[in-house]
Amino acid sequence: MQIQGVIDLLEAWAPRSYAEDFDNTGLLVGARQADLKGVLVSLDCLEAVVDEAVQKDCNMVVSFHPIIFKGLKKITGSDYVQRAVLKAIKHDIAIYAIHTALDNNWEGVNHQILKTLGAKKSSVLVPKANTLKKLVTYAPQAESKNLLDSLFAAGAGAIGDYSECAFTSNGEGSCKPGEAADPSLGKQGERHYEAETRIEVLVPFHCESAVIKALLSTHSYEEVAYDLIPISNTDKQLGMGMIGSFETPLSEAEFLALLKERMHCGGIRHSKLLGKSIQKIAVLGGSGAFAIGAAKGAGVDAYVSADFKYHDFFSAEQRLLLVDIGHYESEQYTKNLIVQYLTKKITNFAVLLSEINTNPIFYL
């Protein structure tokens, strides 16, 4: 197996097309064609993590955060980013970053937070826009079911927890093949009428190329008529943050104690206690101040994230409890999630969890 094989598995799970525009995901260091020896999974790829990969004979590090975030104009080893990159290159170690591609995943970072807290997830907090298109095409009625099977296999037709969703209607199509045409139905120079089925399916952005390829390779027509229409619908299972709920409401003190215990927090910052029970919550791993408005709009009792600034806490406005548990703490279980996924997919290579705590923040 090559490094590219691991990349393919990761991007089938968390497509790079779903990462945020500001992010730097994907293969950051190394050769795709290199043979794989082992994978080390970490939250951050620091120099010490590269040393650990060397020690454990792993030539690929899958890191949640990208070690290269801004452009590097030189690589002299003058800072922690350059030193990690230099060491990885020296030891032929590939570095792959998954970051916001996994943030936006329905079973990614925020799913893991809710699972750790014992809350049941219900919906995405900030759905990602412009990720769906509608495919409309036409096929001879006798071929429509076979064509649908190919479209579904390529990833079309998924709506939330439902798959193989489509709408079909029957009608009549017409065409007049030209002199250079090679029609599968009809004759050159003569108008032909065919009983056809109109097919409509949703196409997720990351499946678009595969779906169109399936359409063109399966369809019997020389020229396939189809429309691929951008729609404003949001994918309910794709986006930043997640909303969930506890089966039994907790007091604010119980909720904060649960967070501190389950998320191993060295300290918790929170807005004013309101004396209300906590049942419906929103969570967002990493820096989540931008979604405070969405949390208030969702009517949650508490919003858990990290990196809130002083004035962010004022925006609670006694409508919800804002809780900052720390950036590292909110994302710490992400590496476990990645290991679990890769271990199921790769059985003949070692997939190891980094033993290094990369949290740069300490508490007194």
Side-chain angles (χ1 to χ4, degrees), residues 243-264:
I243 298 171
S245 60
F246 295 106
E247 185 174 348
T248 303
L250 303 173
S251 70
E252 290 169 318
E254 289 172 332
F255 177 62
L256 293 174
L258 178 70
L259 280 171
K260 189 172 178 62
E261 176 195 354
R262 298 282 179 86
M263 305 304 291
H264 304 292

Side-chain angles (χ1 to χ4, degrees), residues 39-206:
V39 181
L40 182 68
V41 180
S42 179
L43 192 67
D44 304 282
C45 187
L46 305 179
E47 188 178 6
V49 173
V50 178
D51 286 333
E52 184 183 15
V54 173
Q55 179 186 358
K56 295 180 177 178
D57 199 27
C58 294
N59 66 334
M60 182 178 190
V61 174
V62 176
S63 173
F64 179 66
H65 291 131
I67 184 62
I68 303 173
F69 199 76
K70 299 178 181 178
L72 292 177
K73 294 184 178 180
K74 57 184 177 181
I75 306 179
T76 62
S78 61
D79 61 32
Y80 76 98
V81 174
Q82 296 178 40
R83 287 193 293 274
V85 171
L86 278 172
K87 183 160 285 189
I89 293 173
K90 178 180 179 180
H91 293 280
D92 294 323
I93 293 175
I95 301 175
Y96 184 95
I98 198 167
H99 207 205
T100 56
L102 190 55
D103 276 326
N104 282 317
N105 191 305
W106 178 244
E107 295 193 346
V109 178
N110 302 296
H111 158 83
Q112 191 68 15
I113 295 174
L114 288 176
K115 183 178 178 181
T116 301
L117 295 177
K120 183 179 180 181
K121 67 182 179 183
S122 60
S123 60
V124 168
L125 177 62
V126 185
K128 192 169 179 63
N130 304 317
T131 61
L132 291 173
K133 293 184 180 180
K134 182 168 74 169
L135 172 67
V136 181
T137 190
Y138 308 84
Q141 291 179 11
E143 298 177 12
S144 61
K145 289 186 177 180
N146 183 53
L147 180 57
L148 269 175
D149 288 342
S150 295
L151 297 178
F152 292 152
I159 303 176
D161 291 326
Y162 294 82
S163 61
E164 301 188 8
C165 304
F167 180 80
T168 60
S169 56
N170 292 330
E172 186 176 67
S174 70
C175 68
K176 183 178 179 180
E179 294 181 359
D182 183 20
S184 59
L185 297 171
K187 298 179 180 179
Q188 294 174 337
E190 297 181 8
R191 182 184 300 168
H192 174 76
Y193 293 92
E194 183 69 27
E196 292 183 328
T197 297
R198 174 186 169 109
I199 297 172
E200 301 179 41
V201 290
L202 286 181
V203 179
F205 180 75
H206 74 282

Side-chain angles (χ1 to χ4, degrees), residues 94-362:
I95 301 175
Y96 184 95
I98 198 167
H99 207 205
T100 56
L102 190 55
D103 276 326
N104 282 317
N105 191 305
W106 178 244
E107 295 193 346
V109 178
N110 302 296
H111 158 83
Q112 191 68 15
I113 295 174
L114 288 176
K115 183 178 178 181
T116 301
L117 295 177
K120 183 179 180 181
K121 67 182 179 183
S122 60
S123 60
V124 168
L125 177 62
V126 185
K128 192 169 179 63
N130 304 317
T131 61
L132 291 173
K133 293 184 180 180
K134 182 168 74 169
L135 172 67
V136 181
T137 190
Y138 308 84
Q141 291 179 11
E143 298 177 12
S144 61
K145 289 186 177 180
N146 183 53
L147 180 57
L148 269 175
D149 288 342
S150 295
L151 297 178
F152 292 152
I159 303 176
D161 291 326
Y162 294 82
S163 61
E164 301 188 8
C165 304
F167 180 80
T168 60
S169 56
N170 292 330
E172 186 176 67
S174 70
C175 68
K176 183 178 179 180
E179 294 181 359
D182 183 20
S184 59
L185 297 171
K187 298 179 180 179
Q188 294 174 337
E190 297 181 8
R191 182 184 300 168
H192 174 76
Y193 293 92
E194 183 69 27
E196 292 183 328
T197 297
R198 174 186 169 109
I199 297 172
E200 301 179 41
V201 290
L202 286 181
V203 179
F205 180 75
H206 74 282
C207 296
E208 183 178 325
S209 296
V211 169
I212 297 303
K213 182 178 179 180
L215 169 66
L216 299 179
S217 62
T218 305
H219 210 295
S220 64
Y221 287 174
E222 184 179 20
E223 298 289 348
V224 181
Y226 70 91
D227 299 313
L228 196 58
I229 307 167
I231 57 177
S232 59
N233 304 47
T234 55
D235 189 331
K236 295 180 180 179
Q237 294 189 348
L238 182 67
M240 286 282 186
M242 195 164 286
I243 298 171
S245 60
F246 295 106
E247 185 174 348
T248 303
L250 303 173
S251 70
E252 290 169 318
E254 289 172 332
F255 177 62
L256 293 174
L258 178 70
L259 280 171
K260 189 172 178 62
E261 176 195 354
R262 298 282 179 86
M263 305 304 291
H264 304 292
C265 300
I268 290 178
R269 300 189 303 149
H270 61 81
S271 59
K272 181 181 178 181
L273 298 180
L274 303 175
K276 298 179 180 179
S277 61
I278 305 294
Q279 184 166 26
K280 184 179 180 181
I281 65 172
V283 301
L284 196 155
S287 301
F290 71 92
I292 291 175
K296 288 196 289 188
V300 300
D301 303 312
Y303 174 45
V304 180
S305 189
D307 299 342
F308 293 161
K309 295 181 180 179
Y310 175 81
H311 289 94
D312 292 328
F313 289 97
F314 286 119
S315 61
E317 298 182 301
Q318 298 190 42
R319 292 173 55 184
L320 78 171
L321 181 66
L322 292 178
V323 188
D324 184 333
I325 62 173
H327 197 118
Y328 175 89
E329 287 78 6
S330 70
E331 296 176 334
Q332 63 185 295
Y333 295 113
T334 304
K335 60 183 182 180
N336 303 74
L337 189 66
I338 298 170
V339 167
Q340 291 167 12
Y341 171 77
L342 288 179
T343 300
K344 291 178 182 178
K345 298 292 183 178
I346 305 173
T347 57
N348 55 339
F349 289 94
V351 179
L352 305 177
L353 183 68
S354 174
E355 299 176 45
I356 295 175
N357 184 333
T358 59
N359 190 359
I361 299 172
F362 294 83

